[in-house]
Amino acid sequence: MAAKKLVLTVIDGMKPSMLERAIALGQAPALKAIQERGAYVDDCCAAFPSVTPVCAASIATGTGPDRHRIPSMNWFSREEQRYVEYGSSFSASRKFGVLRSLTDTVYNMNAVHLSRETPTCFELLDDAGVRTAGTTYLMYRGRHEHHVTTDTPLARIANATVFREPVKGPRELFYADLFASRRTGCRGQFGMPGGRDAHTGCVGSYLEEHDLYDFMLFSLPDNDTFSHRNGPHAQVTSIAAADRQLERLMHAGGGIDRFLDEHAMIVMADHSHTQVEERIQLQPAFADWSIARPDGAGATAGDIAISPAQRSAMIYVLADENRARLAADAARVALAVPGVDLAMRLAAPREGVIASERGELHFAPGGDLVDARGRRWSVDGDLAAISARVENGRLLAPDYPDALGRVWSALNCATAGDVLLSAAPAYEFVDWGGAWHPGGGSHGSLHRNDSLGALLWCGTGPQTRHAHEQWTLRDVLPIVTDHFGVAAPPRS
């Protein structure tokens, strides 16, 4: 018997408490039906940094940044001696060059930056003959070639400037108004916030009506933008709007009940959101250091590069000599900045350090302590650095879920900085364009407020949430591949 069609829906930044409120208020009937028919997890842990490119790569590949190599929203390429900016803000993109930022986001993120050694869900399913489809999502790499569309005036302008090369994606790819594997009549308003969910709903209903997919990644990103602007506790409005697009898809398949009888569903957040009240400016703290600054297609010379990304940041030591010592010095300087909660670095190839005002913790894989994911660690120093405790040989750090595993993966990402920073609750790093989200929501840190998102499923996957003590984004790809009887690559 053929597997049911499977829809993987990603509602960007969906906070579990706001999902629960939207359902309780009757604002999310589609999501309510999925929850009632299946299982619900209110603490699915994001990758670190908990920013969208890193989390999207972890969802698509089932791996952490040490494997997929997408380190953050903004990072420094040692190979090209320049910053990579995926669109922290329009002002940040202008600082690095709008065309360069668009090229990195649309093309290079998938074709160059995302590791070729970690296949995506689309590639795995394409290879198995599953009919794949995807709406506008940062990670789209698959086996099918798609050329830039010229169906709209905006697309023709884009085609005449920067977007000229084809991409490899799922069998059916709809990416803003740039790539469309067939004419649907749907318009994406060039991927501008506020219109992206409606484009997904339009495309998804078309694909459903014409039986054009077995697996579809149904991306609903507008909740994130709404939360950035209005704060996480306003998300009921944007979750309700996302639910309407799910209803639109289900209506094309005969209504909620019939659709769920005939389809499997996974709905998830990539991360959560924290209310922001205060800003962190790193550059003044490093006034005595030589900082590499954006300079057109490259960067000025410097001893360090600074990469802020919402509630996370990275510092790259660019000097080859005394790199470890300079990283330790940079971590101390950063940790003295108000609002910086954690500074993380590698003290040795197999030893990580997490420092906070509460103390310093050294850790390494292997040892007597077991975390909620079943991994073993050895630790030395102050567990208070991550507000952790040990009970019966188990390492518990509820304020920083999956702390050691996420930090270890982030530190061992080949493209990451030498020092990783996590902001305290209510604080956000100002990006290179001077933008932040005062009074709104943001994410990126190791803290639970940013890191624990919603996950629900029905018609596939485990019968209950108890398959894992601590769910993470990396647990979703195996559900997808198992659903279609496809072998997923081993995970670290």
Side-chain angles (χ1 to χ4, degrees):
M1 181 178 176
K4 290 181 177 181
K5 292 181 180 179
L6 172 60
V7 178
L8 169 58
T9 300
V10 181
I11 301 178
D12 199 331
M14 180 170 60
K15 198 170 185 69
S17 60
M18 293 300 101
L19 167 64
E20 293 161 13
R21 183 177 297 178
I23 289 175
L25 293 173
Q27 299 295 304
L31 291 165
K32 178 182 179 182
I34 295 168
Q35 183 188 42
E36 289 177 343
R37 284 175 173 247
Y40 170 55
V41 172
D42 63 359
D43 60 352
C44 183
C45 193
F48 177 70
S50 51
V51 291
T52 300
V54 183
C55 293
S58 288
I59 293 170
T61 66
T63 67
D66 59 329
R67 297 273 302 279
H68 61 60
R69 297 188 179 181
I70 301 295
S72 191
M73 179 75 77
N74 177 277
W75 54 283
F76 190 85
S77 171
R78 296 179 186 276
E79 181 179 358
E80 298 183 54
Q81 288 296 295
R82 69 175 183 91
Y83 286 95
V84 175
E85 169 58 55
Y86 292 141
S88 302
S89 65
F90 182 69
S91 56
S93 293
R94 287 182 61 187
K95 196 81 172 182
F96 297 98
V98 173
L99 292 183
R100 167 63 75 179
S101 181
L102 286 170
T103 300
D104 280 333
T105 303
V106 176
Y107 284 109
N108 291 336
M109 189 190 304
N110 283 268
V112 180
H113 304 154
L114 183 65
S115 172
R116 283 287 170 186
E117 297 174 2
T118 54
T120 69
C121 56
F122 295 124
E123 290 171 318
L124 291 167
L125 298 180
D126 284 339
D127 291 344
V130 176
R131 297 180 301 161
T132 56
T135 64
T136 308
Y137 191 64
L138 287 180
M139 297 301 159
Y140 60 76
R141 199 177 72 197
R143 303 299 191 195
H144 300 271
E145 186 169 271
H146 299 275
H147 291 266
V148 178
T149 182
T150 55
D151 284 353
T152 68
L154 277 174
R156 287 192 287 273
I157 293 171
N159 182 247
T161 53
V162 64
F163 301 112
R164 298 174 181 174
E165 299 300 319
V167 299
K168 288 291 188 73
R171 177 173 169 175
E172 303 289 344
L173 174 65
F174 301 88
Y175 189 105
D177 288 320
L178 295 176
F179 303 99
S181 49
R182 59 185 69 230
R183 292 179 175 175
T184 62
C186 304
R187 296 290 177 259
Q189 301 180 24
F190 214 56
M192 297 300 291
R196 297 172 297 180
D197 284 11
H199 181 242
T200 288
C202 181
V203 166
S205 61
Y206 180 93
L207 293 173
E208 177 64 26
E209 288 170 3
H210 294 84
D211 186 23
L212 293 172
Y213 73 95
D214 300 313
F215 169 77
M216 175 166 57
L217 199 157
F218 192 78
S219 174
L220 298 171
D222 284 338
N223 178 71
D224 183 72
T225 305
F226 187 88
S227 187
H228 276 307
R229 184 183 305 117
N230 300 289
H233 298 293
Q235 281 191 18
V236 168
T237 299
S238 47
I239 290 172
D243 191 89
R244 287 194 290 273
Q245 300 309 319
L246 276 170
E247 281 196 278
R248 185 177 183 180
L249 170 67
M250 293 175 176
H251 178 75
I256 291 178
D257 289 334
R258 180 178 171 184
F259 186 90
L260 293 180
D261 286 341
E262 299 176 355
H263 297 70
M265 295 289 294
I266 304 171
V267 181
M268 66 185 304
D270 51 351
H271 51 72
S272 188
H273 266 245
T274 296
Q275 186 78 19
V276 170
E277 304 295 344
E278 302 289 342
R279 63 181 177 174
I280 304 171
Q281 292 180 297
L282 282 176
Q283 293 184 29
F286 289 91
D288 295 334
W289 298 57
S290 174
I291 303 172
R293 299 179 183 276
D295 182 23
T300 61
D303 294 329
I304 61 171
I306 295 177
S307 290
Q310 298 178 0
R311 286 182 26 81
S312 65
M314 300 189 296
I315 300 171
Y316 293 77
V317 176
L318 304 181
D320 291 330
E321 295 183 5
N322 300 316
R323 185 169 166 182
R325 180 181 61 79
L326 289 172
D329 290 344
R332 282 192 289 272
V333 171
L335 198 57
V337 177
V340 174
D341 182 28
L342 304 173
M344 295 146 278
R345 59 186 174 86
L346 287 174
R350 296 292 292 174
E351 181 183 323
V353 180
I354 304 175
S356 76
E357 64 178 9
R358 299 177 295 274
E360 185 171 283
L361 179 68
H362 292 242
F363 69 102
D368 297 331
L369 295 182
V370 180
D371 67 12
R373 294 288 297 177
R375 290 170 300 199
R376 292 189 170 274
W377 302 95
S378 59
V379 301
D380 182 39
D382 302 306
L383 288 173
I386 53 171
S387 304
R389 66 185 188 276
V390 174
E391 292 183 2
N392 299 319
R394 300 181 70 246
L395 180 67
L396 306 176
D399 287 343
Y400 303 94
D402 195 21
L404 300 189
R406 295 162 71 202
V407 172
W408 186 255
S409 179
L411 288 173
N412 283 278
C413 175
T415 51
D418 296 277
V419 180
L420 310 184
L421 304 177
S422 179
Y427 283 85
E428 182 181 30
F429 293 95
V430 177
D431 71 24
W432 271 102
W436 60 301
H437 300 94
S442 192
H443 51 93
S445 84
L446 193 72
H447 196 273
R448 63 180 290 115
N449 288 355
D450 304 21
S451 301
L452 298 182
L455 168 65
L456 52 162
W457 66 90
C458 67
T460 191
Q463 293 298 309
T464 72
R465 62 156 290 152
H466 300 299
H468 300 287
E469 180 181 351
Q470 174 68 73
W471 284 81
T472 74
L473 302 183
R474 295 179 289 112
D475 296 319
V476 174
L477 179 69
I479 297 178
V480 173
T481 53
D482 288 350
H483 181 82
F484 291 104
V486 174
R491 298 183 296 160
S492 58

